[in-house]
């Protein structure tokens, strides 16, 4: 919620923190920099953009960024994300790609592997349960398991990343890793990553539904203050 001065109500550090989620001006989209709200990083942290531009146009990332933008132009609103992912891999000329997937989406992983094979893309894949380490070994109690008093292997995103690093993959695709586990995978992956599927069993892997229905069906499920 914004007040009349285009400032988020009840949020601290309005002059130093970015609050783009509250902005109704979107001056960055309309080249109207004379209308920046008080919390806009374009006004408060201008040096960030020089540094970011230098990174994006560096020899390491320039081609990757440009091809990503070209794919947006070519397939926006038309190609499914699977096609966009394959296009990026092909256009970048990657010869070895990694797939880190959740066991619960094994069929989807197999389908993606087949699509890669059909497009002459070498794929190395690592499933989340690799290693077969019981959750108790990392501090999860029996009561906190999905099935107490049974062997229950931990998700192992760091090992997944290390397996793909060892294979020297040039680009990694994430398919259905758990919230947090995907964070660790990205942290330890030496290659750039993209997410193909976000796992959300409550919505048929469509997490945006909870945002659209935050004041309706999902209202009580999102109210953590009164749980």
């Amino acid at each position: 919620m914004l007040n009349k001065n285009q400032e988020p109500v009840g949020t601290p550090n309005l002059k130093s923190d970015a609050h783009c989620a509250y902005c109704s001006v979107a001056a960055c989209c309309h080249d109207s920099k004379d209308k920046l709200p008080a919390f806009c990083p374009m006004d408060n942290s201008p040096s960030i953009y020089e540094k970011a531009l230098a990174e994006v146009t560096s020899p390491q990332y320039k081609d990757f960024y440009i091809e990503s933008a070209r794919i947006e132009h070519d397939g926006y609103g038309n190609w499914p994300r699977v096609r966009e992912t394959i296009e990026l891999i092909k256009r970048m000329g990657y010869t070895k790609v990694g797939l880190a997937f959740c066991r619960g989406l094994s069929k989807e992983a197999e389908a993606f592997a087949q699509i890669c094979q059909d497009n002459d893309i070498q794929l190395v894949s690592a499933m989340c349960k690799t290693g077969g380490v019981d959750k108790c070994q990392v501090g999860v109690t029996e009561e906190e398991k999905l099935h107490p008093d049974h062997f229950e292997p931990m998700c192992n995103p760091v090992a997944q990343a290390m397996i793909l690093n060892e294979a020297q993959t040039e680009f990694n695709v994430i398919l259905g890793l758990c919230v947090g586990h995907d964070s660790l995978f990205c942290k330890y992956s030496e290659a750039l990553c993209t997410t193909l599927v976000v796992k959300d069993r409550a919505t048929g892997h469509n997490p945006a539904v909870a945002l659209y229905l935050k004041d309706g069906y999902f209202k009580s499920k999102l109210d953590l203050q009164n749980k």
Side-chain angles (χ1 to χ4, degrees):
M1 180 182 297
L2 297 175
N3 61 25
K4 63 181 180 180
N5 296 317
Q6 293 292 326
E7 296 181 341
V9 176
T11 52
N13 302 319
L14 294 181
K15 299 295 184 181
S16 60
D17 292 339
H19 295 285
C20 293
Y22 293 97
C23 182
S24 60
V25 178
C28 53
C29 297
H30 306 291
D31 197 23
S32 51
K33 298 182 176 63
D34 57 327
K35 299 179 181 179
L36 302 180
F39 53 82
C40 183
M42 291 169 61
D43 187 38
N44 300 325
S45 306
S47 63
I48 284 177
Y49 301 96
E50 295 179 7
K51 295 175 183 176
L53 192 59
E55 288 293 324
V56 146
T57 57
S58 68
Q60 185 174 6
Y61 298 119
K62 183 176 181 178
D63 290 344
F64 186 89
Y65 184 84
I66 290 175
E67 288 301 339
S68 300
R70 286 172 176 163
I71 287 169
E72 179 187 16
H73 169 269
D74 295 343
Y76 193 81
N78 182 31
W79 294 345
R81 192 174 180 90
V82 173
R83 168 71 182 274
E84 293 180 332
T85 302
I86 296 297
E87 285 281 352
L88 183 58
I89 291 168
K90 297 287 282 186
R91 295 187 188 192
M92 288 301 299
Y94 294 137
T95 58
K96 186 181 284 189
V97 174
L99 175 67
F101 70 97
C102 167
R103 182 199 177 196
L105 279 78
S106 295
K107 290 183 178 179
E108 291 84 346
E110 184 178 0
F112 183 71
Q114 184 62 58
I115 291 170
C116 286
Q117 183 175 329
D118 292 343
N119 285 278
D120 298 320
I121 296 170
Q122 182 181 0
L123 188 72
V124 180
S125 55
M127 190 176 75
C128 62
K129 301 301 184 182
T130 186
V133 180
D134 190 272
K135 290 180 178 179
C136 290
Q137 291 193 37
V138 292
V140 177
T141 66
E142 287 291 342
E143 293 72 22
E144 291 169 329
K145 289 181 174 180
L146 294 175
H147 305 286
D149 300 318
H150 290 80
F151 171 75
E152 193 166 290
M154 64 177 279
C155 294
N156 209 340
V158 176
Q160 286 176 286
M162 290 179 173
I163 289 169
L164 300 184
N165 291 344
E166 188 173 77
Q168 297 183 321
T169 55
E170 298 161 287
F171 187 61
N172 290 330
V173 177
I174 298 171
L175 199 163
L177 297 189
C178 297
V179 172
H181 297 162
D182 55 356
S183 307
L184 286 169
F185 177 82
C186 290
K187 171 71 174 179
Y188 285 90
S189 171
E190 293 176 358
L192 289 173
C193 306
T194 192
T195 299
L196 183 63
V197 177
V198 176
K199 181 173 63 184
D200 188 340
R201 299 196 184 286
T203 66
H205 310 312
N206 181 11
V209 168
L211 302 178
Y212 302 144
L213 300 180
K214 70 178 183 64
D215 296 317
Y217 179 78
F218 285 98
K219 184 173 183 179
S220 62
K221 297 180 185 294
L222 298 173
D223 186 4
L224 275 62
Q225 300 296 329
N226 298 307
K227 65 178 181 178

